[in-house]
Amino acid sequence: MTPYYTGSHKHLIAIDCIIFGFDEGELKILLHRRKFEPEKGKWSLMGGFLQPDESIDNAARRILKGCSGLTNLFMEQLYTFGETDRDPGERVISTAYFALIRIDDYNKELSLETTAHWWPISKKPALIFDHDKMVEMALERLKIRSKNRPIGFELLPRKFTVPQLQSLYEAINRRNLDKRNFRKKILSMNLLQKLNEKEKKTSKKGAFLYRFDKRKYNRLAEKGFHFEL
Amino acid sequence: MTPYYTGSHKHLIAIDCIIFGFDEGELKILLHRRKFEPEKGKWSLMGGFLQPDESIDNAARRILKGCSGLTNLFMEQLYTFGETDRDPGERVISTAYFALIRIDDYNKELSLETTAHWWPISKKPALIFDHDKMVEMALERLKIRSKNRPIGFELLPRKFTVPQLQSLYEAINRRNLDKRNFRKKILSMNLLQKLNEKEKKTSKKGAFLYRFDKRKYNRLAEKGFHFEL
DNA sequence: CCAAAAGTGTTGACCGTACACCCATGA
DNA sequence: TCATGGGTGTACGGTCAACACTTTTGG
């Protein structure tokens, strides 16, 4: 480590994670009460400071693992927030990431964090600093991604029904979709494998379960696709 | 400034700018030879370190002004690059911005920077660090933006012909477009005002000049639109 | 037997795309 | 007069959006 850049000012860098889940037909976000000053006790995104020896992506992975117990989550850098006064404690630059979790996977690892809570997006409390703006931006990004990546599936259980998948898309895009058009389009991608089981909790008739075809899923996850309704 | 976060490590933050221009039917990028070690003399993006008292957006504006003399450029945050070893000199996090310049405006302010040079994208030299990756990402973003924002116009002179505009879109998207379809679609947005002048340098017949309608332009710049060919 | 959710096809409108010829003029 | 780039309209096919009824079964 040669001192090439001595004289230049250094900064604190935080990583904040917007973590989405989907449960009971609602899009939810994982928040916790901040553990230190300033704004101690207020609702906040999951976050932490960047350490000297980790890349920012790895810092995000560390934070995600710390609050969910899970690794290999879908995760994507969102934006870097750099207003001088965004943190009243001290100047901190924050790079935000958004991530997707299957809530039932999360529940299995009974979360250590008892201060954490899944909030339905529509009822979430006000957050500290510029975290509300981060959430807003993440929702926007999620909407875009739902149209060009098969990310919806990162949020559902491994087996799911078509109506469940539809209600996820409806939650993300905040509008109702025609079920005939939805089914037609999603099935025409040959991305779903129909199983011989039915989910019978939500209706008397029961709905067939599906899972996604890993090969096609992975290809679409890289190349992108187009799913507009 | 209370010492809330003492103990947390601080980092150098660089701002790097990918600056695009359009001239002679080609998409170009502004590069310069790095002025200090490591990699002194090699081709590099325009950049600098974040100062304590400026937001990252303002740092980008400062750098853009410094190398072009221009303010109020179109500018957008691209991505933050945070691998631990991306800069061999010392650990530096870099937030990249991309910006668009009208090359003729740039020329008027005869640039102070004699080490700067406009390179056609197709012929640009290899860059230091991860700057090539930044450029690649910026090109991708530019392609996306050309489809949902009227940014093309930030790159053209104030008066331009339809064929010029088309060749810009062709350069950004790296494919040829049908001129009838292009003209039909772009004119149907009522974004262009036809002038009573002709540009006669590039053809004997001459092509009518247009400028864009400020009102509609600004509305589209905010709300976005859809221009797919 | 009834309520509640699952499942199923067709049609019209619109949009993207392909395509070929005439025009104006400087040299 | 000819070479060069500017300018124009139409037809086809595919995709999106709107729309209503039958099926299953638990209570």
Side-chain angles (χ1 to χ4, degrees):
Chain A
M1 188 84 87
T2 28
Y4 279 113
Y5 309 132
T6 51
S8 293
H9 192 268
K10 294 192 173 186
H11 303 264
L12 286 166
I13 300 182
I15 306 292
D16 288 304
C17 297
I18 298 98
I19 304 173
F20 293 115
F22 183 69
D23 196 23
E24 299 161 338
E26 278 187 307
L27 196 58
K28 296 186 178 178
I29 183 174
L30 190 61
L31 300 173
H32 81 321
R33 288 188 181 278
R34 187 166 156 100
K35 295 200 194 60
F36 46 84
E37 293 294 348
E39 305 275 29
K40 182 172 176 178
K42 301 274 180 63
W43 290 100
S44 156
L45 293 171
M46 304 294 181
F49 287 108
L50 178 66
Q51 304 301 124
D53 56 340
E54 63 185 356
S55 69
I56 54 174
D57 281 4
N58 282 337
R61 278 186 269 268
R62 168 173 59 78
I63 288 160
L64 288 172
K65 183 169 182 197
C67 67
S68 71
L70 302 170
T71 53
N72 278 110
L73 298 175
F74 174 94
M75 176 189 99
E76 177 179 319
Q77 188 186 305
L78 182 64
Y79 197 76
T80 297
F81 296 81
E83 292 301 313
T84 52
D85 57 353
R86 52 170 296 284
D87 184 323
E90 197 173 338
R91 182 173 193 189
V92 181
I93 309 302
S94 169
T95 297
Y97 280 75
F98 85 101
L100 305 178
I101 288 191
R102 284 191 193 93
I103 287 191
D104 42 334
D105 285 6
Y106 173 84
N107 288 337
K108 279 173 203 152
E109 328 274 329
L110 28 128
S111 75
L112 321 169
E113 280 252 33
T114 55
T115 56
H117 186 249
W118 284 103
W119 285 87
I121 284 291
S122 55
K123 289 167 201 148
K124 88 167 175 50
L127 306 181
I128 61 167
F129 307 170
D130 47 6
H131 287 195
D132 284 313
K133 200 164 131 197
M134 294 179 180
V135 171
E136 203 182 315
M137 210 173 209
L139 282 167
E140 208 47 50
R141 184 76 64 93
L142 184 59
K143 222 187 261 188
I144 293 169
R145 285 290 170 268
S146 78
K147 286 174 187 154
N148 62 206
R149 293 280 126 94
I151 59 165
F153 307 108
E154 306 284 348
L155 290 163
L156 291 173
R158 292 192 175 50
K159 298 176 182 180
F160 53 86
T161 66
V162 174
Q164 270 169 16
L165 182 57
Q166 178 175 343
S167 86
L168 171 59
Y169 272 83
E170 290 178 334
I172 291 175
N173 292 291
R174 284 212 196 81
R175 68 196 190 94
N176 294 333
L177 303 172
D178 180 283
K179 60 180 175 172
R180 282 168 292 190
N181 293 338
F182 182 85
R183 182 180 290 267
K184 198 190 320 166
K185 180 133 193 209
I186 201 78
L187 290 178
S188 74
M189 306 185 117
N190 291 335
L191 188 59
L192 301 190
Q193 292 176 329
K194 190 173 185 174
L195 303 177
N196 264 331
E197 305 168 62
K198 279 194 167 186
E199 155 68 60
K200 308 207 63 165
K201 278 169 211 144
T202 51
S203 83
K204 328 216 160 175
K205 184 178 179 184
F208 277 103
L209 287 164
Y210 289 78
R211 68 171 171 226
F212 55 82
D213 178 322
K214 286 235 163 109
R215 275 178 222 291
K216 295 203 174 141
Y217 175 81
N218 288 334
R219 258 198 305 132
L220 289 183
E222 287 195 11
K223 290 195 182 176
F225 66 142
H226 185 72
F227 191 81
E228 181 97 37
L229 279 165
Chain B
M1 190 81 89
T2 27
Y4 280 113
Y5 309 132
T6 52
S8 294
H9 193 268
K10 294 191 173 187
H11 303 263
L12 286 166
I13 300 182
I15 305 293
D16 288 305
C17 297
I18 299 99
I19 304 173
F20 292 116
F22 183 70
D23 196 23
E24 298 160 338
E26 277 188 307
L27 197 58
K28 297 186 178 178
I29 182 174
L30 189 62
L31 300 173
H32 80 323
R33 289 188 181 278
R34 186 166 156 101
K35 296 200 193 60
F36 46 84
E37 292 295 348
E39 305 276 28
K40 182 172 175 177
K42 301 274 181 61
W43 289 100
S44 155
L45 294 171
M46 304 293 180
F49 287 108
L50 178 65
Q51 304 301 125
D53 56 341
E54 63 184 356
S55 69
I56 53 174
D57 281 3
N58 282 337
R61 279 186 270 267
R62 168 173 59 78
I63 289 160
L64 289 172
K65 181 166 183 199
C67 66
S68 72
L70 303 170
T71 53
N72 276 109
L73 297 175
F74 175 93
M75 175 189 100
E76 178 179 320
Q77 188 187 304
L78 182 64
Y79 197 76
T80 297
F81 296 82
E83 293 302 314
T84 53
D85 58 354
R86 52 172 295 284
D87 184 323
E90 196 173 339
R91 183 173 193 190
V92 181
I93 309 302
S94 169
T95 297
Y97 279 75
F98 84 100
L100 304 179
I101 288 190
R102 285 190 193 94
I103 288 191
D104 43 334
D105 285 5
Y106 173 84
N107 288 338
K108 280 173 204 153
E109 330 273 329
L110 28 126
S111 76
L112 320 167
E113 280 252 32
T114 54
T115 56
H117 186 249
W118 285 104
W119 285 87
I121 284 292
S122 56
K123 290 167 200 149
K124 87 169 176 51
L127 305 181
I128 60 166
F129 307 169
D130 47 5
H131 288 194
D132 284 314
K133 200 164 132 198
M134 294 179 180
V135 171
E136 203 180 315
M137 211 175 208
L139 282 167
E140 207 48 49
R141 184 75 65 94
L142 183 60
K143 222 187 261 188
I144 293 170
R145 286 289 171 270
S146 78
K147 286 174 187 155
N148 62 206
R149 294 280 127 94
I151 59 165
F153 308 107
E154 307 284 348
L155 290 163
L156 290 174
R158 292 192 175 53
K159 298 177 183 181
F160 53 86
T161 67
V162 174
Q164 270 170 16
L165 182 57
Q166 178 174 344
S167 86
L168 171 59
Y169 272 84
E170 290 178 333
I172 291 176
N173 292 291
R174 284 211 196 80
R175 68 195 190 94
N176 294 333
L177 303 172
D178 181 283
K179 60 180 175 171
R180 281 168 293 190
N181 293 337
F182 182 84
R183 182 180 291 268
K184 197 191 322 166
K185 181 131 192 209
I186 201 78
L187 290 178
S188 74
M189 306 185 118
N190 290 335
L191 188 59
L192 301 190
Q193 293 176 329
K194 190 173 186 174
L195 304 177
N196 264 331
E197 305 169 62
K198 279 194 167 187
E199 155 67 61
K200 307 206 65 163
K201 279 170 209 144
T202 50
S203 83
K204 328 213 161 176
K205 183 179 179 182
F208 277 103
L209 287 164
Y210 290 77
R211 67 172 172 227
F212 56 82
D213 177 323
K214 285 236 164 109
R215 275 178 222 293
K216 294 202 175 141
Y217 175 81
N218 289 333
R219 257 197 307 131
L220 289 182
E222 287 196 11
K223 289 194 182 177
F225 66 142
H226 185 72
F227 190 81
E228 181 97 37
L229 278 164

